[in-house]
Amino acid sequence: MTDVSLEDIITELVVNGGNAKSKAIQAIRSAKTGAFEVAEQKIREANESLQKAHQFQTELIQAEAREEKGTTVSLIMVHGQDHLMNAMTTRDLAIELIEVYKLIHHK
């Protein structure tokens, strides 16, 4: 694995996944009040966090492919993956809800 430990990589999945999910929720709340520029900015911020998390996830996958020690599936690894997947789903739903709120606010 790179100079980053497995624990550090998993921590980055959790942190960046959590940040992305929070930004997506903020985007929904902004759109609800009609602040669509803020909502779009929050989605961009969520995407940045998801991109970072994805880079760390790729490191895990590559380490496993190289059959490096310490890449066995653990509860904390599953927890990190769970954070990432939930963040991605929340972001996707936020994008859809922003469009719905745009329709509502423009009528």
Side-chain angles (χ1 to χ4, degrees), residues 10 13 16-17 31 33 41 43 50 53-54 57 60-62 67-69 71 81 86 88 95 102 104-106:
I10 293 168
L13 286 177
N16 285 294
T33 65
Q41 177 59 37
I43 291 296
L50 285 173
H54 187 261
Q57 181 188 47
L60 281 174
I61 293 167
Q62 289 172 347
E67 298 179 355
E68 291 183 16
K69 290 182 181 179
T71 58
Q81 288 294 116
N86 280 318
M88 292 171 71
I95 291 169
K102 283 179 180 177
I104 292 169
H105 282 270
H106 290 106

Side-chain angles (χ1 to χ4, degrees), residues 5-15 60 74 76-77 80:
S5 73
L6 178 64
E7 291 80 16
D8 290 341
I9 290 172
I10 293 168
T11 298
E12 289 295 332
L13 286 177
V14 172
V15 167
L60 281 174
S74 65
I76 194 162
M77 187 182 295

Side-chain angles (χ1 to χ4, degrees), residues 32-96:
K32 187 175 182 179
T33 65
F36 298 111
E37 288 181 23
V38 173
E40 297 296 337
Q41 177 59 37
K42 295 299 179 185
I43 291 296
R44 286 191 293 276
E45 292 172 13
N47 286 337
E48 289 171 10
S49 291
L50 285 173
Q51 183 177 0
K52 288 177 189 175
H54 187 261
Q55 290 169 347
F56 285 101
Q57 181 188 47
T58 299
E59 283 189 46
L60 281 174
I61 293 167
Q62 289 172 347
E64 183 176 337
R66 291 188 302 268
E67 298 179 355
E68 291 183 16
K69 290 182 181 179
T71 58
T72 57
V73 176
S74 65
L75 184 57
I76 194 162
M77 187 182 295
V78 171
H79 180 64
Q81 288 294 116
D82 186 47
H83 267 270
L84 178 57
M85 298 310 297
N86 280 318
M88 292 171 71
T89 300
T90 303
R91 186 268 326 261
D92 292 346
L93 289 172
I95 291 169
E96 293 300 317

Side-chain angles (χ1 to χ4, degrees), residues 15-35:
V15 167
N16 285 294
N19 287 345
K21 184 178 175 185
S22 293
K23 296 296 181 180
I25 295 296
Q26 291 171 11
I28 293 168
R29 290 179 178 151
S30 295
K32 187 175 182 179
T33 65

